[in-house]
Amino acid sequence: INRETTTKSSTQIASVSVTERGFEPANIPLKAGVATRLTFTRKTDATCATEVVFPDFKIKRALPINKPVLITFTPQKSGEIVFGCGMDMMLRGKVVAR
């Protein structure tokens, strides 16, 4: 699991695994105003996280098991950007832009 957010040619890159415990990491620090690439990889069928939703950006993507799914966006301002499973139930995470 890549727990560090790296910046490469003005793009922030982070990886999130979806496991029995949920989104790992569940809290992703980013810089506001910088393009972001998050890669989600679902590693279990034991949760409701068969898709990920970013309501603030109107992003909803299926998460096929063991296949990386790339999501790109740019956090325009400081604050929290919440994401969760498609059913918006138990599994949630957040991006914290500063």
Side-chain angles (χ1 to χ4, degrees), residues 6-13 31 33-37 73-74:
T6 56
T7 304
K8 182 178 178 183
S9 49
S10 73
T11 300
Q12 302 173 95
I13 300 168
K31 293 180 182 175
V34 179
T36 300
R37 294 177 53 170
F73 62 91
T74 302

Side-chain angles (χ1 to χ4, degrees), residues 1 3 6 11-12 17 20 29 38 40 44-45 49 51 58-59 63-64 69-71 75 79-80 89 93 95 97:
I1 299 171
R3 293 194 181 273
T6 56
T11 300
Q12 302 173 95
S17 293
E20 300 82 21
L38 297 180
F40 286 80
T44 183
D45 275 328
E51 58 188 5
K58 296 181 175 52
I59 295 171
L63 296 175
V69 174
L70 178 64
I71 295 179
E80 292 184 357
M89 300 283 283
V95 171

